Amino acid sequence: MSRACELTGKAVLTGNNVSHANNKTRRRFLPNLCHVTLQSEALGQSVRLRVSANALRSVEHRGGLDAFLVKAKTNELSQRARLLKKQVEKKLAEQPAA
């Protein structure tokens, strides 16, 4: 399992630790990943994903998992999230516009 967010695609970055003496050693910046269960209203089920804390804020801001997936770019999503997005779009297209 890679250390990448399934919704936003945030992954590990690399850089340097720089000491007071200006010595540089390589380091890794890890994303703040959490295992969360999010509810999909369109599918009527809960989904367990590994997402960053930043993605959780974005999901809440956009109004839930379904709204986030509909707006998200497909190339940023993980394979599981792409499948979810396809299922959500299909369900939303089936529902009559009210």
Side-chain angles (χ1 to χ4, degrees):
M1 180 182 289
S2 65
R3 293 185 192 221
C5 175
E6 293 190 71
L7 296 180
T8 60
K10 279 184 180 260
V12 177
L13 295 173
T14 58
N16 290 314
N17 277 332
V18 182
S19 71
H20 183 69
N22 208 26
N23 298 331
K24 295 171 186 76
T25 56
R26 297 303 284 177
R27 63 160 292 178
R28 298 171 72 197
F29 295 94
L30 302 177
N32 185 9
L33 296 178
C34 314
H35 290 281
V36 294
T37 304
L38 298 170
Q39 187 69 32
S40 171
E41 288 85 24
L43 301 176
Q45 65 185 20
S46 56
V47 183
R48 189 158 167 78
L49 296 169
R50 191 174 189 211
V51 299
S52 64
N54 186 352
L56 274 178
R57 289 172 50 101
S58 298
V59 167
E60 290 299 316
H61 180 72
R62 288 193 185 170
L65 180 63
D66 298 338
F68 181 90
L69 288 173
V70 168
K71 279 186 163 183
K73 294 178 183 172
T74 307
N75 60 351
E76 289 180 354
L77 299 173
S78 70
Q79 196 62 38
R80 282 183 56 212
R82 286 180 194 162
L83 178 65
L84 263 174
K85 178 177 177 162
K86 210 181 263 189
Q87 290 173 346
V88 166
E89 287 175 338
K90 185 177 177 184
K91 274 284 194 202
L92 293 176
E94 289 174 1
Q95 295 175 350

